Amino acid sequence: MSIAHGPETVVLKPSKPTSLLAALLLHPGTVVSTAYLLRAVWDEEPPATARAALQTCVLRLRRLFAKYGISATTIEAVPGGYRMHNDTETLDLVLFRTLTAQAGTAAGPGEELYRLREALSLWQGQPLANVASRMLHQDAVPALEQERLRVLERVCDLELAAGNCHQVLVDLYESARRHPVRERFTEQLIEALYRTGRQAEALAEYRTVRDRLRDELGIDPGPGLRRLELAILRAEDLTPAPPEPAPRALTARAATAVEAPALPAAPARPARAVLPVPAFAGREGDRRAMAARLTAADGPRLVVVSGAPGIGKSALARQTAHEVQDSFPGGVFTLQLAGPDGTAVGVEEAAGLLPEPGAGRRLIVLDGAAGAWQVLPLLPAAEDASVLVTSRRGLAAVVATHGGAVHRLDVLRSAEAYALLAGLVGTERIAAEPAAARELASVCGHFPLALRIAAGRLLTRPGLSVADCAAWLAEDPPARLALAEEARLSVPDVLGQALDALPEELRAAFLRLGAHAADEDLSAQESESILEQLVESGLLEDGPPGPYRLHDFLRIYARWHVRTHATAAVAAPH
């Protein structure tokens, strides 16, 4: 605590008058009872002469105020206690709370951030550092600190929403270290690291706080931190959308519009910076070819990425969009054409979500298309843009009518799968067991989805060796390659969803094909029509003039599916 008068500032010494002043200033403008003041000044049982001594302390404070030009009536004796009248000009705590309240009614995030930063600048060092009262340190200081931390959390939220991730890192590092059990700071730090391309550091921060909470408190991280870890493992875009504008009162002009309604315009979807996919590995040839097609000056700028479920279509599309986004001053817009449960978004709804034409060249990413029927109606509205579509289907009707290129993805090569594991889990940990890492990639069938799930298991179990993880997963890969918190990071859920979407005839054919050896001629097992439909569904590869081919990992899944469902049928009551 200090008193400032013009250019002169006096830091008060720890004393009973200082404790009394602190107790009054913590309750500006309100009556503070004599009993409370006695406890604040003497902590333990006050002496018999405490009330007289309290009056002496008040007198000494009034003399001190007079010395520095402060009115002697600042401390007012009232029935039951004392009161100090303070305002924004005389007490920083009042100014802090006033600025915080003004921020809550600010016209926009910029003004709110300015007010809150101004409020935080009033804090200098530890509150009540030169106050001797134990009671005030136990009761008042924690509450003051909570006020400050709430404001700091809000400041960091606003900075992250504005995209100022680099600028806020220093505040977040310090706050997360000083307040390790206040998980919101750790969430913000991890988000800032991830959005600045430091995915490995973000995951390392999560592991650090998880281990600390378990070791010191015996608890797991809260749902916010767990969701954030999964979002990073799924390579989600964490860039927040701009805040919605506040509703405005109906003006005369708006009333005219009500009288003569027009068709509602499709809501524009704000473009966001496309972040790189964490630890993305491989697909160099596809990325170069896709970038050249999308940024071409003439000719069709349409690219379709197709392939089996879990093969990495969305990740490739996002990574490519990240790499070419500077060529699209009009923005990059992503539209999810499938819900979390796999259900397709209706054509009319999807059309309403397309961005309005604007200045500058645009890139539109249509992710998870269920078929040509969903894409074709959207292309006329996107004719001035480059379009990147992902789908399990080849969408031959789309490229046949609009031109473009199809990239059918295969599994990762061995070196690419190894690089993906190293990027996710950490180079040192994977390099310490290179043979085991290659075995783990093989168990995962070199499928990016399975590799990311395996990496998630290793990251959440730092004591687990890569060899032990590979051996455990190899005992039952389809069942064990799943993270319980998220269906989209579960092989049984993702592949089961794809299988359930098939007609019964195709589903039965796929399961029958899984029973055959890898070198068998699949064309002798099913009709060409059935096989072609499975290729189109993303569950079978190649075909005439070459042989049809089933991914080894999908074959393992088909056998597991038949086995587990047969067991369930036997176990079911009759």
Side-chain angles (χ1 to χ4, degrees):
M1 285 179 49
S2 62
I3 296 177
H5 178 63
E8 186 176 3
T9 299
V10 176
V11 178
L12 302 180
K13 296 179 180 179
S15 64
K16 287 179 172 54
T18 301
S19 295
L20 169 63
L21 179 60
L24 291 168
L25 293 178
L26 286 169
H27 304 85
T30 62
V31 176
V32 184
S33 70
T34 301
Y36 178 88
L37 294 174
L38 292 176
R39 292 198 307 274
V41 173
W42 277 276
D43 285 316
E44 308 298 337
E45 189 69 26
T49 58
R51 289 182 178 272
L54 189 65
Q55 294 174 353
T56 301
C57 289
V58 170
L59 180 61
R60 290 175 59 185
L61 287 174
R62 286 173 174 165
R63 289 173 179 169
L64 181 65
F65 294 161
K67 178 180 178 181
Y68 290 101
I70 301 173
S71 172
T73 61
T74 300
I75 301 179
E76 179 186 4
V78 295
Y82 292 87
R83 175 171 55 199
M84 286 192 69
H85 292 282
N86 294 101
D87 55 24
T88 57
E89 298 294 325
T90 59
L91 182 61
D92 283 348
L93 181 60
V94 174
L95 180 56
F96 171 82
R97 290 170 176 168
T98 300
L99 290 170
T100 302
Q102 290 173 349
T105 59
E111 181 185 343
E112 181 184 2
L113 181 59
Y114 175 81
R115 294 295 183 196
L116 293 180
R117 282 288 190 194
E118 187 179 3
L120 286 176
S121 70
L122 299 172
W123 290 77
Q124 304 291 331
Q126 182 68 22
L128 308 188
N130 56 334
V131 175
S133 171
R134 289 194 301 274
M135 187 199 85
L136 294 181
H137 281 282
Q138 291 171 359
D139 298 343
V141 171
L144 287 173
E145 184 67 2
Q146 290 302 310
E147 281 191 72
R148 185 184 73 86
L149 292 178
R150 282 194 295 270
V151 172
L152 182 55
E153 282 181 355
R154 179 58 182 163
V155 164
C156 293
D157 280 336
L158 291 169
E159 294 281 20
L160 290 173
N164 301 327
C165 300
H166 285 287
Q167 296 90 320
V168 81
L169 274 174
V170 173
D171 283 338
L172 289 174
Y173 269 122
E174 180 181 3
S175 300
R177 298 297 184 268
R178 286 191 175 187
H179 310 281
V181 297
R182 199 177 181 98
E183 293 187 21
R184 182 58 190 145
F185 284 130
T186 303
E187 290 177 28
Q188 292 170 324
L189 174 59
I190 291 172
E191 179 183 342
L193 289 169
Y194 174 63
R195 288 173 56 193
T196 52
R198 297 154 72 173
Q199 296 90 346
E201 291 181 56
L203 289 170
E205 284 291 334
Y206 174 82
R207 294 195 298 271
T208 298
V209 73
R210 179 203 60 202
D211 293 344
R212 182 187 298 119
L213 290 172
R214 287 177 176 174
D215 293 343
E216 297 180 6
L217 301 176
I219 61 174
D220 285 324
L225 275 172
R226 295 199 299 271
R227 284 193 298 268
L228 188 57
E229 182 208 19
L230 287 172
I232 295 173
L233 290 172
R234 289 199 306 259
E236 290 184 356
D237 182 2
L238 298 182
T239 308
E244 294 291 332
R248 300 188 180 277
L250 185 66
T251 62
R253 183 174 180 181
T256 303
V258 172
E259 293 168 6
L263 290 175
R269 289 298 176 264
R272 302 178 182 179
V274 183
L275 297 175
V277 176
F280 190 90
R283 314 284 196 203
E284 287 87 355
D286 289 300
R287 283 151 55 196
R288 285 194 298 270
M290 290 165 61
R293 169 73 66 176
L294 294 170
T295 59
D298 52 6
R301 299 191 297 272
L302 172 67
V303 173
V304 173
V305 180
S306 69
I311 203 106
K313 301 179 292 295
S314 296
L316 174 60
R318 178 177 154 190
Q319 183 67 21
T320 303
H322 164 74
E323 293 170 359
V324 302
Q325 61 186 331
D326 290 344
S327 299
F328 296 94
V332 178
F333 303 83
T334 300
L335 177 59
Q336 298 292 336
L337 295 182
D341 60 352
T343 54
V345 174
V347 172
E348 291 186 5
E349 181 183 354
L353 294 172
L354 284 174
E356 296 276 358
R361 193 173 179 184
R362 299 171 301 153
L363 172 62
I364 297 176
V365 181
L366 303 176
D367 193 22
W373 63 268
Q374 199 180 23
V375 176
L376 287 171
L378 304 178
L379 294 181
E383 60 182 356
D384 64 326
S386 294
V387 180
L388 176 54
V389 188
T390 72
S391 177
R392 293 170 188 167
R393 299 180 175 274
L395 304 185
V398 174
V399 293
T401 55
H402 287 75
V406 178
H407 289 256
R408 181 81 176 191
L409 299 190
D410 207 333
V411 298
L412 295 175
R413 294 191 292 270
S414 179
E416 294 171 338
Y418 183 95
L420 178 58
L421 285 173
L424 289 170
V425 179
T427 303
E428 292 183 4
R429 189 172 176 187
I430 294 300
E433 299 179 79
R438 286 189 286 272
E439 176 61 23
L440 178 59
S442 178
V443 169
C444 294
H446 298 100
F447 264 63
L449 170 66
L451 289 164
R452 287 186 179 274
I453 294 170
R457 177 162 290 277
L458 286 169
L459 286 168
T460 55
R461 292 164 173 80
L464 179 65
S465 72
V466 179
D468 287 344
C469 181
W472 182 77
L473 290 175
E475 293 176 4
D476 196 359
R480 291 180 174 177
L481 280 166
L483 299 181
E485 301 93 336
E486 177 54 61
R488 286 174 291 180
L489 282 173
S490 164
V491 165
D493 286 341
V494 171
L495 297 186
Q497 189 182 95
L499 195 60
D500 291 343
L502 296 178
E504 177 58 36
E505 184 183 23
L506 292 183
R507 184 160 58 246
F510 170 77
L511 296 176
R512 286 195 298 268
L513 291 173
H516 295 280
D519 56 355
E520 286 192 56
D521 181 9
L522 297 182
S523 61
Q525 312 302 325
E526 302 289 342
S527 70
E528 185 172 299
S529 172
I530 292 291
L531 295 172
E532 281 296 304
Q533 291 180 73
L534 287 173
V535 171
E536 179 63 12
S537 299
L539 294 175
L540 204 61
E541 303 300 319
D542 302 330
Y548 290 97
R549 177 170 57 92
L550 181 62
H551 287 305
D552 289 342
F553 191 72
L554 294 184
R555 178 178 285 104
I556 293 171
Y557 169 77
R559 293 173 179 175
W560 172 85
H561 186 278
V562 170
R563 184 175 67 252
T564 55
H565 281 67
T567 303
V570 170
H574 297 285

